[in-house]
């Protein structure tokens, strides 16, 4: 099928009665539940004639708001923040104002909890938990939402100030303060990472806070020490590239010894690997007028795109699939003006179309982050672009 056909097929699946009858998936989970379907349908509806997609989107959002645990403060991808992100993205002028007014205090509360936890963990000096500072569950994701909802508010300023502290060396610190106890994806001991690790994934590592600080700067929001923090984190990341690639994680022992692994595991994904890191570094370069960082980011992504055998992707989704690679490549090509990156877009779009078509012929996952909806959004943005800011990908921290 063609790209419009597979996008239409995803929309029909999301709008079908009973699409989210499985109660094991919380409706308010942005990555897997109804709220992600609501956002997807609303974005697809705005790209062409309204054939009932807006009504279906509204129905999913209402069901998510009424679901158990929906008003619970958490990270960007769950509860009140997830609902606020979807409502803000879906809203046309004058829409969802009262809903957003009701949800925003909960977002502030969630941000305050993460901000306090981040400062406490930094003070303890025993390593951070990724859900405290990352894009999915932590301060980086909530900060990006507050930047959209209340850019001049005190909640965002306090959160940004805490994120800045990640890059401020402590007395006697032998390592950057944002090292993570355990291994990637764990909250406990991991024999492979006995001394802890440095996470380089945009979803769960330091590129998320860097992307937030840079995006805030680009939107005119500044706090003391922000530029210095952006510079410190960007320089650190720029120095950890191995060839065209960034590792997914580094052992604390390697960082202490000042060495990089010769052939580290990586992937060409949003969540982990070169594309996500490159985007964060590019945003830092844009924020501080560092053309060298921007050039390095574009060159790394171009090199990765030229080595598809090393992509290590799974399906067409946004998180660790070709949809995420397509979306980042499009944003980078547009922002940098790189003809080399732009030349890869037709082939990537064809790959996502083929993989999404195959998924529709089986039993496609309906989650925004890993399933068909996110892939449809990336494909729609690339094959049917329209003027205006790319507001839907806020939850990916791409700008």
């Amino acid at each position: 099928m063609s790209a419009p056909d597979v996008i239409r097929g995803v929309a029909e699946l999301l709008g079908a009665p009973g699409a989210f009858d499985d109660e094991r998936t919380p409706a308010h989970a942005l990555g897997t539940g109804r709220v992600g379907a609501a956002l997807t349908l609303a974005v697809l509806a705005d790209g062409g004639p309204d054939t009932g997609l807006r009504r279906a989107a509204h129905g999913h959002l209402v069901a998510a708001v009424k679901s158990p645990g929906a008003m619970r403060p958490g990270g960007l991808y769950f509860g009140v923040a997830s609902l606020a992100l979807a409502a803000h993205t879906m809203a046309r002028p004058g829409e969802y104002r009262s809903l957003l007014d009701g949800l925003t205090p909960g977002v502030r509360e969630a941000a305050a909890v993460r901000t306090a936890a981040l400062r406490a963990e930094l003070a303890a000096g025993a390593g951070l938990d990724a859900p405290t500072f990352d894009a999915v569950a932590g301060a980086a994701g909530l900060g990006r939402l507050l930047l959209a909802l209340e850019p001049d508010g005190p909640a965002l300023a306090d959160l940004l100030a805490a994120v800045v502290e990640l890059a401020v060396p402590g007395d006697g610190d032998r390592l950057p303060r944002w090292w993570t106890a355990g291994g990637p994806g764990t909250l406990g001991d991991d024999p492979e990472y006995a001394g802890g690790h440095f996470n380089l994934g945009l979803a769960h590592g330091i590129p998320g806070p860097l992307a937030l600080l840079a995006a805030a700067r680009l939107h005119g929001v500044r706090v003391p020490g922000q530029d210095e923090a952006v510079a410190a984190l960007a320089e650190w990341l720029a120095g950890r590239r191995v060839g065209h690639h960034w590792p997914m994680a580094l052992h604390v022992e390697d960082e202490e010894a000042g060495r990089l692994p010769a052939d580290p595991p990586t992937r060409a994904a949003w969540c982990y690997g070169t594309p996500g890191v490159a985007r964060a570094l590019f945003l830092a370069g844009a924020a501080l007028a560092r053309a060298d960082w921007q050039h390095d980011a574009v060159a790394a992504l171009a090199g990765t795109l030229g080595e598809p055998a090393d992509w290590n992707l799974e399906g067409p989704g946004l998180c660790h699939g070709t949809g995420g690679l397509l979306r980042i490549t499009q944003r980078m090509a547009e922002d940098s003006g790189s003809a080399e990156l732009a030349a890869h877009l037709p082939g990537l779009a064809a790959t996502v179309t083929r993989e999404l078509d195959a998924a529709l012929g089986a039993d496609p996952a309906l989650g925004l982050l890993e399933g068909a909806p996110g892939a449809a959004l990336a494909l729609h943005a690339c094959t049917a672009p329209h003027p205006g800011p790319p507001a839907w990908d806020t939850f990916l921290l791409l700008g």
Side-chain angles (χ1 to χ4, degrees), residues 69-93:
M71 295 301 140
R72 189 175 304 154
L76 178 60
Y77 281 68
F78 298 94
V80 67
S82 172
L83 297 172
L85 182 281
H88 177 77
T89 304
M90 293 167 62
R92 292 169 171 171

Side-chain angles (χ1 to χ4, degrees), residues 1 36 71 79 81 89 121 149 161 184 191 197 211 214 234 242 245 247 258 268 307 315 347 349 365:
M1 288 194 291
M71 295 301 140
T89 304
E121 290 181 13
L149 295 177
H197 76 287
V242 180
H245 307 294
E307 300 173 347

Side-chain angles (χ1 to χ4, degrees), residues 147-284:
L147 182 61
L149 295 177
E150 295 184 326
D152 299 322
L156 176 60
D158 193 37
L159 183 145
L160 290 174
V163 173
V164 163
E165 293 177 28
L166 287 169
V168 177
D171 293 337
D173 283 348
R174 57 187 174 81
L175 294 168
R177 301 177 72 194
W178 52 270
W179 69 276
T180 306
T186 69
L187 292 178
D189 295 334
D190 183 338
E192 186 179 348
Y193 291 89
H197 76 287
F198 290 90
N199 195 306
L200 278 72
L202 179 54
H204 298 297
I206 202 59
L210 175 59
L212 168 64
L213 293 173
R217 181 72 155 76
L218 290 168
H219 284 79
V221 178
R222 301 180 68 175
V223 297
Q226 183 175 346
D227 286 1
E228 293 81 1
V230 169
L233 296 178
E235 290 286 8
W236 190 93
L237 279 172
R240 286 354 180 239
R241 195 177 76 189
V242 180
H244 292 309
H245 307 294
W246 273 280
M248 293 189 287
L250 293 174
H251 289 82
V252 162
E253 295 87 348
D254 286 337
E255 180 68 14
E256 286 181 310
R259 62 175 177 254
L260 292 173
D263 187 22
T266 189
R267 66 193 325 174
W270 167 76
C271 56
Y272 282 99
T274 300
V277 182
R279 183 57 182 173
L281 185 62
F282 185 90
L283 291 173

